[in-house]
Amino acid sequence: MGLAIICPGQGSQTATMFALLQKRTEAVKILDEASQQLGFDLDPIQDSCAIHLNRIAQPLLCAYMLATWQVLEPLLKEQKPMLFLGYSVGEICAHILAGSISKQDALALCAKRAQLMDASAGSPQAMAAVRGLPRSDVDALCDAYQTEIAIINGPLHYVLGGRAKAVETLCGHVETHLPGQVRRLRVTVASHTSLLASAAHAFSEVLANIEINKPLVPVLAGIDGSPVRQPDEVRRALVMQLSNPLQWECCLLTARERGATCFLELGPGNAMAQIARELLPDVPVRSIADFRSLEGAATWVQSHAKCR
């Protein structure tokens, strides 16, 4: 019984995302080293367009989560996580925090993933969130507009991906007939769809050439919610999720079944916490972004998570 840590994906990054870390020496050191390795300053990033580009967003989020965890983990004391969950690129971050992937390989791996995704995109791609429709209606939309389900967040919450023109046409149809139930996402690659098959193949070769260890804490695979415990399972899960749908609803339900008594999203933002609250209304869920300090987040965890 205890704490589940959620490592989010792209979408919530902002120019002020490092606010809680700016006076933390251990965090600043990580961010400075990351800036040197990546070749651009992580804090602050003022360009609201650039911050959503794959090549910047993915290593940016990785550096943010490494720095946040460096400060937060000691504050948790005996309330250590019983498992990690990662959403999209957050699944790599989850494995880094769980010890599967070294911190030395972390940024380069996220940057390479982004590079391969961009290279495989070809013609423009897009993604959109659709809410309030049952699976049968979503499947019918995908068939009609040549798109795919990329992420299942809940029984009435899906993310679709495909060629940009097809996604735009689908969004126009939904907006006309079901106003307020579709939202375009600020991404240019249809992650977790078959359009990323070539990126997945190339990423498998990248993962084959880095050392991967057994996770010190179980990580749930985004593709099916199963606990990942062996290096080969880590490689398979990270490759498969690039071109196959994320079963995020399944991940959250599995975490609860395995004894998670509270969930903490590392942020930035609180989109993952909101999804978890909708699906698991009886379980305490918060995000780092909800607190004024990391000490406040740690205090909340200590009052809601039972020791394993």
Side-chain angles (χ1 to χ4, degrees), residues 20-276:
L20 293 182
L21 304 174
Q22 288 172 340
K23 295 182 180 180
R24 303 285 189 162
T25 303
E26 61 270 51
V28 171
K29 183 175 184 292
I30 289 175
L31 297 176
D32 286 346
E33 291 173 351
S35 294
Q36 293 175 15
Q37 183 177 344
L38 295 169
F40 58 86
D41 289 335
L42 295 177
D43 185 23
I45 292 180
Q46 302 295 342
D47 189 330
S48 60
C49 293
I51 206 171
H52 291 282
L53 297 174
N54 262 346
R55 63 181 176 81
I56 291 178
Q58 294 193 31
L60 176 74
L61 285 167
C62 178
Y64 165 86
M65 281 183 256
L66 282 173
T68 299
W69 190 244
Q70 184 73 21
V71 179
L72 179 64
E73 185 182 22
L75 298 175
L76 295 176
K77 300 178 182 179
E78 72 276 8
Q79 300 292 358
K80 301 302 183 183
M82 62 173 293
L83 57 81
F84 288 92
L85 302 83
Y87 192 89
S88 194
V89 69
E91 191 170 349
I92 292 181
C93 299
H95 278 290
I96 295 164
L97 302 188
S100 318
I101 297 170
S102 73
K103 294 178 181 178
Q104 289 71 31
D105 289 328
L107 293 175
L109 187 61
C110 287
K112 188 63 176 179
R113 179 182 186 268
Q115 177 188 341
L116 294 173
M117 291 171 69
D118 287 339
S120 73
S123 59
Q125 299 175 6
M127 303 183 79
V130 176
R131 304 196 63 149
L133 300 181
R135 176 63 183 264
S136 58
D137 288 357
V138 174
D139 285 338
L141 282 172
C142 289
D143 289 343
Y145 294 97
Q146 291 77 55
T147 56
E148 301 176 30
I149 291 177
I151 307 172
I152 302 172
N153 285 324
L156 299 174
H157 186 181
Y158 299 87
V159 176
L160 312 182
R163 302 294 181 190
K165 187 175 181 179
V167 173
E168 185 63 29
T169 304
L170 181 149
C171 289
H173 171 84
V174 176
E175 286 172 343
T176 298
H177 295 87
L178 301 164
Q181 292 183 277
V182 65
R183 177 172 61 88
R184 296 164 179 80
L185 303 183
R186 296 186 67 176
V187 295
T188 57
V189 175
S191 308
H192 319 301
T193 72
S194 62
L195 295 177
L196 272 290
S198 62
H201 176 74
F203 195 53
S204 68
E205 297 178 354
V206 173
L207 290 172
N209 291 307
I210 69 167
E211 182 178 1
I212 294 182
N213 304 303
K214 292 182 180 180
L216 300 176
V217 177
V219 179
L220 300 186
I223 54 170
D224 59 12
S226 63
V228 175
R229 297 190 178 91
Q230 299 297 327
D232 286 348
E233 295 173 349
V234 175
R235 290 187 173 92
R236 177 182 179 275
L238 293 180
V239 169
M240 292 290 290
Q241 62 116 287
L242 270 176
S243 57
N244 290 276
L246 292 186
Q247 305 286 337
W248 189 244
E249 175 187 12
C250 181
C251 288
L252 292 171
L253 293 175
T254 299
R256 182 68 182 93
E257 289 173 357
R258 292 180 63 83
T261 54
C262 76
F263 292 78
L264 181 67
E265 177 186 356
L266 290 188
N270 57 9
M272 297 296 98
Q274 290 177 15
I275 291 171

